[in-house]
Amino acid sequence: MRTRFHEELEQLTGMLEQMCLRDETAIATATRALLETDIEQAEHAIDLCAHVEAMGQDAEDAAVMLLALQAPVASELRRVVTALQLSANLARMGGLCAHIAGLVRRRHPHPVMPDPLRETVSRMGAAAVSMAASAAQVLATGDAEAAAALEGRDDVMDQLHRDLLNHILGPEYTGGTTTAVDLALLGRYYERFADHTVEVGRRTLFTTTGSTEPE
Amino acid sequence: MRTRFHEELEQLTGMLEQMCLRDETAIATATRALLETDIEQAEHAIDLCAHVEAMGQDAEDAAVMLLALQAPVASELRRVVTALQLSANLARMGGLCAHIAGLVRRRHPHPVMPDPLRETVSRMGAAAVSMAASAAQVLATGDAEAAAALEGRDDVMDQLHRDLLNHILGPEYTGGTTTAVDLALLGRYYERFADHTVEVGRRTLFTTTGSTEPE
């Protein structure tokens, strides 16, 4: 019975890891759509996100089934509860990618972003992709250091987000109000995406080691 | 044993209802801070939100305890899982109120908003307050019609959000880029707050009736 439980828990964790890898592809695709004003990539990102949402429902159902059939306790129960919570974080990450891709679609054939900000947005995109990859790694291996490193990378994301806002609000900005509003929302979507990866790392670490600090 | 389970589930639902009522007070307080450029109300809203977050942790712990000690199955299990999910929605609602209040604090002693937009923001605030009140009612009574009505009111919120963006992006807007960015984020916070109340209604309804449609 316990072996069966561990097999099923491993399957569930595998589902979460797959969701996270799909989020990584989705944020990479949405960022490419944004930087290249590419409507096909934007549509593709939106499709990926719908898929992540469906995977989230499957993961939730699997977690509930595991609770019903195995009635785990103590740390095993905590791991299933965490899986439930993580499926919500991972589904939300997909939703944020869809928002980014949606902006590309709304402004098409015009670019969302003026050239001077491509560099900052491109770095935010790269940070988000790498954070999603690390979160997937934490899910796969329970690696405490990778989870802790996510928090450091979130500081980089926050700094990029501040740079973006400072640029929009600075005297040299001439991009107009629509673009400023788009960029403010865009910054918020990337920042939230990153927050969720940190949450994935932190919660996974907590259930693996019972602590939110690296050992 | 089953009676004990129902008592504890009722307590847990009561905790969620209290969180939701606290969110209602927090969004009312944050909106007042915003409309009156009142730093004390802003600080008070931020304190309320910290309290909601702590309540969320308590609710989560109570749900895990219930799963551990009572090992519920079928619809009873689904209700505890829903309670876990709702505690995350309700905590996030508090976080969004803190973001609104944070904007007031950041711009103080200046108002966040120019006078022509007070009416729209005031209506968004009123809609959010009433949606939180309805969500608390759904939690307290499992009222399917109140849950369904939340979706209709969310359409009103979406329309107000569009009005706000159209105003900022329209030719008559003269408020400057900082204010445009603040208002775009503000609109997003209210809209997300409303989305969470709809989610609370929908999930509660689903566990009460097994359907997301009113009977």
Side-chain angles (χ1 to χ4, degrees):
Chain A
M1 196 70 166
R2 288 298 94 183
T3 308
R4 174 79 184 280
F5 172 81
H6 284 290
E7 272 173 28
E8 287 179 3
L9 183 61
E10 217 165 283
Q11 269 181 20
L12 175 56
T13 308
M15 291 168 89
L16 297 178
E17 189 198 345
Q18 289 306 312
M19 280 181 83
C20 198
L21 292 171
R22 189 59 57 108
D23 282 326
E24 181 192 345
T25 309
I27 194 78
T29 308
T31 303
R32 216 158 40 231
L34 188 63
L35 292 171
E36 297 166 12
T37 315
D38 183 331
I39 188 77
E40 279 178 32
Q41 298 273 352
E43 299 291 355
H44 182 44
I46 290 167
D47 289 344
L48 285 169
C49 299
H51 194 199
V52 170
E53 201 156 293
M55 292 166 88
Q57 189 57 56
D58 289 346
E60 187 184 316
D61 291 345
V64 171
M65 193 70 88
L66 202 50
L67 290 172
L69 298 182
Q70 307 277 354
V73 293
S75 69
E76 295 182 341
L77 169 59
R78 180 50 83 173
R79 289 183 68 183
V80 183
V81 166
T82 299
L84 258 172
Q85 293 169 324
L86 293 183
S87 73
N89 289 110
L90 294 163
R92 191 69 208 127
M93 284 162 67
L96 291 162
C97 297
H99 283 318
I100 293 170
L103 260 183
V104 176
R105 189 158 67 174
R106 199 164 323 131
R107 299 301 169 218
H108 193 79
H110 304 288
V112 172
M113 221 163 26
D115 273 344
L117 282 168
R118 283 178 62 87
E119 177 64 21
T120 304
V121 171
S122 163
R123 288 174 63 200
M124 290 183 91
V129 170
S130 106
M131 290 175 83
S134 293
Q137 190 196 334
V138 177
L139 282 165
T141 64
D143 181 345
E145 281 187 31
L150 276 170
E151 313 229 4
R153 276 199 258 161
D154 195 39
D155 293 340
V156 174
M157 178 64 97
D158 286 345
Q159 184 58 53
L160 288 167
H161 188 204
R162 274 193 296 275
D163 291 348
L164 182 72
L165 286 178
N166 287 339
H167 184 100
I168 304 170
L169 302 177
E172 77 276 27
Y173 177 75
T174 55
T177 311
T178 303
T179 301
V181 164
D182 283 352
L183 287 168
L185 292 175
L186 203 61
R188 172 100 188 130
Y189 300 145
Y190 278 110
E191 185 220 355
R192 288 296 298 154
F193 184 96
D195 285 346
H196 283 291
T197 67
V198 172
E199 191 82 357
V200 169
R202 198 179 290 164
R203 282 196 198 270
T204 305
L205 187 61
F206 180 72
T207 43
T208 312
T209 66
S211 149
T212 53
E213 299 300 319
E215 281 170 28
Chain B
M1 195 69 168
R2 288 297 94 182
T3 308
R4 174 79 183 280
F5 172 81
H6 284 289
E7 272 174 27
E8 287 179 2
L9 182 61
E10 215 164 285
Q11 268 181 22
L12 175 57
T13 308
M15 290 168 90
L16 298 177
E17 190 198 343
Q18 290 305 313
M19 280 180 83
C20 198
L21 291 171
R22 190 59 57 108
D23 282 326
E24 181 192 345
T25 308
I27 194 77
T29 308
T31 303
R32 215 157 41 230
L34 189 63
L35 293 170
E36 296 167 10
T37 314
D38 183 332
I39 189 76
E40 280 179 32
Q41 298 272 352
E43 299 292 354
H44 182 44
I46 289 167
D47 289 345
L48 284 169
C49 299
H51 194 197
V52 170
E53 201 156 291
M55 291 166 88
Q57 189 57 56
D58 289 347
E60 186 183 317
D61 292 345
V64 171
M65 193 71 88
L66 202 50
L67 290 172
L69 298 183
Q70 307 276 355
V73 293
S75 69
E76 295 182 341
L77 170 59
R78 181 50 82 172
R79 289 183 68 181
V80 182
V81 166
T82 299
L84 259 171
Q85 293 168 325
L86 293 183
S87 74
N89 288 110
L90 294 164
R92 191 69 207 126
M93 283 161 68
L96 291 162
C97 297
H99 282 319
I100 293 170
L103 261 183
V104 176
R105 189 159 69 176
R106 200 166 320 133
R107 299 301 169 219
H108 193 80
H110 304 288
V112 172
M113 212 165 32
D115 273 342
L117 282 168
R118 283 178 62 88
E119 178 63 21
T120 304
V121 171
S122 164
R123 288 175 63 198
M124 290 182 92
V129 169
S130 105
M131 289 175 84
S134 293
Q137 190 197 334
V138 177
L139 282 165
T141 64
D143 181 346
E145 280 186 32
L150 276 169
E151 314 230 2
R153 277 198 257 162
D154 195 37
D155 293 339
V156 173
M157 178 64 97
D158 287 345
Q159 184 57 53
L160 288 167
H161 188 204
R162 273 193 297 275
D163 291 348
L164 181 73
L165 287 178
N166 287 340
H167 184 100
I168 305 170
L169 302 177
E172 76 278 27
Y173 177 75
T174 55
T177 311
T178 303
T179 301
V181 163
D182 283 352
L183 286 169
L185 292 175
L186 203 61
R188 172 102 187 129
Y189 301 145
Y190 278 110
E191 186 222 352
R192 288 296 299 153
F193 184 97
D195 285 346
H196 283 290
T197 66
V198 173
E199 191 82 359
V200 169
R202 199 179 289 164
R203 283 197 198 270
T204 305
L205 186 61
F206 180 73
T207 43
T208 311
T209 65
S211 151
T212 52
E213 300 299 319
E215 280 168 26

